[in-house]
């Protein structure tokens, strides 16, 4: 007789129990999670949501240990796969791919090679590691079929691991048989190497899918994900493209080792091998893809706001930042073998983290039911938050209307002051560092390059904050809210601007200028928009650093480096930003409160805000005097009488308006300070740019 048993009367470990009313070979209880008895019955799982099940007495506990050990085995196997991949990279980087000649699967015609040539030992060791991988993968497949039902993600993932393992072995054999190893620089090798990389990514993703699925009940829904699906799908495609460029770059580093960094970055033109010439494009691709991944991760967090997705997003962003830093170090060190291996390992970890983020986000319930109203409005069909065009509105727009909408997406009024500080910093740098005055076309190129970077950041910001913009009167007519531009178009537009900016700034000025522009973009999108704005009133204090990058861009465009005065200009804008923005925040207090954005006037009140404004106004005034004592390259002070007089007059007016606002914190005085703060910064930079005098 069957009897009803509460879940807590049974062992917590996974056990084998015959479900009530069914024979032991058709229905089995399989574990107790979240206070529910789960039974696999013929074609699927059944659960008792009330925590009470009709079960017979336990008949076996043999499955408990295997259920807990399988995930451990799957993750360890994934780690071993990474080790095998690193072994293959070492074979390529050490030019040992011909260690076994053109023989495969034997080594120089023998199962065990004869002789002690180092290249042979390296190549044979890699083949032994690969040979051990195959039985481990077969064990994974067999074990998964015993533990999990047909159609389960674990069984699917294990089968894909076996498929990609065999495919990897086949491609490896092709490379050896055709002699596309060691110092071969043929087009055939250049084509097969990226293919090898794509298959490797498939193998890693399959292993991660299998290991992840063995620890979770929820199955990822790979279709019907709407905006999130194509956003993350594009992130995968771009990451694969980045990996392909990395594989080509690594091959170029092996075959054509550079003698210095400039040789890597500037190698092009006639007589240069295409593998050598293509290397300089990898950093550009890495910047562009990194920015898109940050946007994709932010979109996932907005549409699937859960603690597990949040952790996955932080892993993706953290690992990518680490990977980018290691890439720069690899470039500076001229790609030694040990650095190439670390760089590759981190790239694989970035790929795994992106896979896990996607699986975690796709396993969540539909976005409309999961969205946190404090961070994102639930998207509905045709709504501004959904990212889908509302009917044929977008298609009915004229060319002029579309161009106008795309221009609005870049926030040209906001960029104008930033652009002015970029240009004036170029002339300040030329005067102080003793460089030639920037020419007209250089100024034009740097202006366009910086505008594209800032416009890209603003476009991404509009995409990520369209739910906030919808609730604020000042921003309710932005093109991403009205859907004059659909979300996917806006993101692609931003990506094109980011890539174009990097290429234009690097080509027309210096790599440092391009990196500074992209750093400002990253800071604005990731640090300010994604991490700070919705969480803390200090968002504008820390995140405001994004607006302080323009003088660094201008300075680096002229000199290729950053001096003390360049960082002084950065710091002046950094301290000026709270004065400027909090004056505006007082005027928009109700808008921010309605949108749920924790700006200082909303969370601390107007009185606290005007006090903070006064403090930062004093700090700005003090720091603005620092250029009067800093030295130029000729040993003279960096600023003279013109700047001294401007500092006295401008800071006097800034402090006076801040004091007036402190005494009477009303809208007219806040508006007056807000408008004057823009004039203040423009005239301060202009005075330093035109000042040719010396006050001491």
């Amino acid at each position: 007789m069957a009897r009803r048993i509460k879940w807590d009367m049974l062992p917590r470990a996974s056990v084998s129990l015959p479900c009530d009313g069914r024979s032991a070979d058709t229905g089995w209880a399989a574990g107790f999670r979240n206070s529910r008895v789960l039974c696999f019955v013929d074609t699927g799982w059944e659960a008792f949501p009330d925590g009470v099940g009709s079960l017979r007495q336990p008949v076996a506990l043999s499955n408990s240990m295997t259920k807990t050990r399988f995930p451990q085995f799957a993750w360890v196997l994934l780690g071993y796969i990474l080790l095998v991949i690193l072994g293959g990279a070492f074979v390529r980087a050490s030019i040992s791919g011909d260690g076994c000649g053109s023989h495969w699967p034997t080594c120089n015609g023998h199962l065990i090679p004869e002789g002690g040539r180092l290249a042979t030992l390296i190549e044979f060791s890699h083949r032994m590691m690969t040979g051990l991988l195959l039985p481990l993968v077969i064990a994974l497949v067999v074990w998964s079929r015993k533990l999990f039902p047909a159609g389960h993600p674990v069984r699917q993932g294990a089968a894909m691991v076996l498929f990609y393992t065999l495919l990897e072995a086949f491609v490896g054999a092709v490379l050896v048989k055709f002699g596309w190893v060691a110092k071969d620089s043929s087009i055939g090798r250049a084509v097969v190497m990226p293919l090898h990389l794509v298959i490797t990514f498939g193998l890693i993703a399959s292993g991660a899918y299998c290991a992840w699925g063995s620890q979770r009940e929820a199955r990822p829904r790979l279709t019907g994900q709407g905006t999130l699906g194509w956003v993350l799908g594009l992130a995968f495609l771009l990451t694969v493209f980045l990996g392909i460029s990395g594989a080509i770059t690594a091959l170029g580093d092996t075959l054509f080792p550079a003698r210095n960094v400039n040789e890597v970055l500037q190698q092009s033109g006639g007589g240069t091998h295409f593998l050598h010439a293509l290397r300089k494009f990898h950093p550009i691709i890495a910047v562009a893809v990194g920015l898109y991944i940050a946007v994709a991760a932010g979109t996932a967090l907005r549409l699937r706001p859960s603690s597990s997705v949040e952790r996955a997003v932080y892993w993706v962003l953290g690992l990518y930042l680490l990977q980018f830093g290691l890439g720069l170090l690899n470039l500076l060190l001229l790609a030694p073998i040990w650095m190439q291996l670390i760089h590759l390992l981190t790239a694989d970890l970035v790929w795994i983290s992106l896979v896990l983020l996607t699986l975690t986000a796709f396993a969540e319930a539909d976005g409309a039911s999961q969205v946190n109203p404090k961070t994102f409005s639930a998207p509905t069909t045709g709504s501004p938050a959904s990212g889908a065009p509302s009917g044929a509105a977008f298609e009915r727009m004229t060319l002029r209307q579309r161009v106008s909408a795309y221009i609005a997406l870049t926030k040209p009024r906001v960029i104008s002051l930033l652009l002015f500080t970029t240009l004036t910093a170029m002339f300040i740098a030329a005067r102080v560092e003793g460089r030639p005055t920037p020419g007209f076309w250089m100024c034009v190129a740097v202006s366009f390059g910086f505008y594209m970077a800032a416009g890209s950041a603003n476009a991404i910001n509009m995409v990520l904050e369209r739910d906030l913009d919808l609730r604020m009167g000042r921003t309710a007519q932005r093109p991403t809210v009205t859907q004059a531009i659909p979300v996917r178009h806006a993101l692609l537009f931003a990506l094109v601007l980011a890539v174009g900016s990097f290429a234009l700034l690097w080509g027309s000025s210096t790599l440092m200028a391009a990196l500074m522009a992209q750093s400002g973009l990253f800071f604005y999108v990731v640090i300010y928009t994604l991490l700070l704005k919705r969480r803390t009133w200090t968002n504008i204090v820390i995140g405001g650093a994004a607006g302080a990058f323009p003088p660094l861009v201008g300075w680096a465009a002229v000199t290729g480096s950053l001096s003390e005065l360049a960082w002084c200009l950065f710091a002046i804008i950094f301290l000026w930003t709270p004065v400027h923005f909090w004056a505006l925040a007082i005027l928009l207090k109700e808008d921010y409160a309605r949108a749920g954005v924790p700006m200082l006037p909303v969370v601390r009140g107007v009185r606290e805000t005007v006090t903070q404004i006064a403090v930062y106004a004093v700090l700005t005034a003090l720091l603005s005097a620092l250029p009067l004592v800093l030295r130029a390259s000729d040993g003279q002070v960096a600023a003279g009488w013109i700047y001294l007089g401007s500092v006295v007059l401008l800071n006097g007016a800034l402090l006076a308006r801040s004091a007036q606002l402190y005494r009477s914190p009303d809208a007219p005085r806040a508006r007056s300070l807000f408008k004057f703060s823009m004039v203040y910064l423009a005239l301060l930079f202009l005075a330093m740019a035109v000042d040719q005098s010396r006050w001491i």
Side-chain angles (χ1 to χ4, degrees):
M1 287 292 293
R3 63 190 182 92
R4 297 179 66 80
I5 306 175
K6 288 184 178 293
W7 67 272
D8 56 3
M9 296 171 60
L10 297 172
R12 297 293 295 186
S14 297
V15 299
S16 292
L17 301 171
C19 289
D20 182 56
R22 298 175 179 86
S23 63
D25 58 349
T26 59
W28 294 87
F32 306 93
R33 295 182 180 179
N34 300 326
S35 303
R36 297 182 300 171
V37 176
L38 301 177
C39 292
F40 176 69
V41 181
D42 294 330
T43 59
W45 297 96
E46 289 186 3
F48 299 98
D50 59 355
V52 179
S54 179
L55 305 171
R56 296 196 185 103
Q57 282 291 97
V59 296
L61 294 176
S62 60
N63 220 25
S64 60
M65 294 302 293
T66 56
K67 276 282 189 178
T68 57
R69 286 180 177 175
F70 183 87
Q72 298 173 3
F73 176 75
W75 285 114
V76 170
L77 180 59
L78 180 59
Y80 184 73
I81 289 173
L82 296 181
L83 186 62
V84 173
I85 293 170
L86 292 179
F90 183 77
V91 170
R92 185 261 309 154
S94 62
I95 316 181
S96 303
D98 61 348
C100 290
S102 60
H103 299 85
W104 193 94
T106 62
C107 184
N108 293 322
H110 303 279
L111 289 177
I112 299 178
E114 298 177 354
R117 195 163 71 97
L118 181 60
T120 301
L121 294 176
I122 293 175
E123 169 67 6
F124 182 72
S125 298
H126 176 59
R127 292 191 184 187
M128 290 293 293
M129 293 174 65
T130 306
L132 178 60
L133 177 62
L134 183 58
L136 293 176
V137 171
I138 293 175
L140 181 77
V141 173
V142 173
W143 200 355
S144 68
R145 294 181 67 85
K146 287 186 176 182
L147 293 180
F148 299 94
H152 195 277
V154 174
R155 291 180 66 165
Q156 295 173 349
M160 289 190 295
V161 170
L162 178 59
F163 170 76
Y164 281 115
T165 299
L166 296 175
L167 199 56
E168 282 273 65
F170 173 75
V171 173
V174 169
L175 289 171
V176 171
K177 287 293 186 180
F178 282 85
W180 293 334
V181 292
K183 295 184 178 182
D184 179 78
S185 59
S186 65
I187 294 179
R189 186 181 187 185
V191 171
V192 175
M193 285 292 291
L195 177 62
H196 204 4
L197 182 279
V198 173
I199 297 171
T200 298
F201 271 4
L203 175 60
I204 295 172
S206 301
Y209 182 51
C210 179
W212 179 90
S214 67
Q215 293 180 306
R216 287 165 176 79
E217 294 177 29
R219 299 190 188 188
R221 184 167 51 85
L222 302 181
T223 59
Q225 292 288 344
T227 297
L228 182 62
W230 70 260
V231 167
L232 289 177
L234 183 57
F236 272 94
L237 291 177
L238 290 175
T239 304
V240 170
F241 181 64
L242 174 61
I244 291 173
S245 74
I248 294 174
T249 299
L251 185 57
D253 288 335
T254 299
L255 300 178
F256 307 100
R259 291 168 294 183
N260 54 65
V261 175
N262 288 332
E263 187 175 325
V264 176
L265 301 179
Q266 298 176 3
Q267 190 65 243
S268 60
T272 301
H273 195 279
F274 72 95
L275 286 174
H276 202 173
L278 289 175
R279 289 191 297 188
K280 71 176 185 178
F281 295 105
H282 183 58
I284 301 176
I285 298 171
V287 170
V289 173
L291 292 172
Y292 183 83
I293 286 178
V295 174
T299 302
L301 188 57
R302 293 284 185 267
L303 295 177
R304 300 291 189 273
S306 67
S307 58
S308 56
V309 172
E310 185 175 16
R311 284 193 300 271
V313 164
Y314 289 151
W315 273 106
V316 169
L317 296 180
L319 284 171
Y320 197 93
L321 280 176
L322 176 62
Q323 167 72 349
F324 189 79
L326 290 173
L328 291 178
L329 184 60
N330 189 47
L331 177 66
L332 295 174
L333 296 177
L334 303 180
I337 293 179
W338 63 270
M339 193 67 232
Q340 290 187 48
L341 297 181
I342 294 176
H343 192 41
L344 174 62
L345 175 61
T346 314
D348 291 340
L349 293 178
V350 170
W351 176 252
I352 291 173
S353 69
L354 184 60
V355 170
L356 297 181
L357 168 61
T358 302
L359 292 174
T360 303
F362 283 6
E364 297 285 344
D366 289 345
S369 62
Q370 284 289 313
V371 169
N372 184 343
K374 292 184 178 181
T375 58
F376 197 87
S377 297
T380 57
T381 303
S383 71
S386 69
S390 52
F394 176 73
E395 299 298 331
R396 289 198 302 265
M397 292 176 64
T398 65
L399 177 61
R400 183 174 181 178
Q401 288 173 326
R402 291 187 184 183
V403 171
S404 178
Y406 275 107
I407 292 176
L409 199 63
T410 64
K411 301 182 185 178
R413 292 177 60 185
V414 174
I415 294 178
S416 58
L417 182 58
L418 304 178
L419 186 58
F420 185 80
T421 59
T422 303
L423 288 172
T424 50
M426 293 175 65
F427 288 91
I428 296 170
R431 177 177 60 81
V432 172
E433 299 291 345
R435 303 297 178 90
T437 301
F440 173 77
W441 289 114
M442 182 181 183
C443 291
V444 170
V446 172
S447 297
F448 271 103
F450 174 77
Y451 188 97
M452 292 168 71
S456 175
N458 289 331
I460 296 171
N461 173 266
M462 282 196 191
V463 169
L464 295 176
E465 294 189 349
R466 61 197 186 279
D467 60 310
L468 300 181
D469 292 340
L470 180 64
R471 298 196 290 266
M472 297 180 64
R474 183 176 66 99
T475 58
Q477 295 304 310
R478 284 179 171 173
T480 49
V481 177
T482 63
Q483 292 192 31
I485 300 177
V487 168
R488 66 188 66 187
H489 293 189
L491 287 178
L492 290 176
F493 176 65
L495 183 62
V496 170
L497 287 181
V499 175
S501 167
F502 193 92
L504 182 57
L505 286 173
W506 189 1
S508 63
S509 57
T510 67
L511 176 60
M512 179 64 76
L515 290 175
M516 288 300 100
Q518 299 302 316
S519 297
L521 193 163
F522 177 84
F523 210 94
Y524 184 68
V525 171
V526 177
I527 305 301
Y528 175 68
T529 303
L530 290 178
L531 300 181
L532 296 176
K533 185 169 182 178
R534 303 181 190 233
R535 288 177 169 83
T536 172
W537 67 266
T538 61
N539 48 25
I540 199 61
V541 178
I542 303 171
F549 276 91
L552 300 183
V553 175
W555 196 286
V558 173
T559 67
S561 60
L562 299 172
S563 69
E564 293 177 350
L565 184 56
W567 288 108
C568 179
L569 298 178
F570 173 92
I572 289 173
I573 298 180
F574 179 77
L575 294 177
W576 164 89
T577 300
V579 179
H580 168 74
F581 192 85
W582 280 335
L584 176 64
I586 292 175
L587 299 173
L588 302 176
K589 177 184 176 183
E590 299 304 322
D591 252 7
Y592 283 123
R594 185 166 50 252
V597 180
M599 289 298 175
L600 183 58
V602 176
V603 298
R604 294 290 184 91
V606 173
R607 172 51 61 187
E608 175 66 19
T609 303
V610 297
T611 301
Q612 293 282 353
I613 287 175
V615 171
Y616 278 94
V618 172
L619 294 175
T620 302
L622 292 174
L623 188 62
S624 65
L626 187 58
L628 294 168
V629 297
L630 290 177
R631 298 287 171 174
S633 60
D634 60 1
Q636 301 293 321
V637 290
W641 288 105
I642 295 176
Y643 183 74
L644 174 61
S646 301
V647 164
V648 172
L649 294 176
L650 291 173
N651 282 313
L654 182 69
L655 294 174
R657 280 175 167 77
S658 299
Q660 291 172 0
L661 181 61
Y662 180 82
R663 289 194 298 268
S664 301
D666 52 27
R669 287 174 174 78
R671 185 174 293 106
S672 174
L673 177 60
F674 169 71
K675 292 181 178 179
F676 175 76
S677 64
M678 292 185 286
V679 176
Y680 168 90
L681 191 66
L683 292 181
L684 192 73
F685 273 70
L686 180 62
M688 191 180 302
V690 303
D691 192 359
Q692 298 290 334
S693 62
R694 293 288 187 268
W695 74 284
I696 56 173

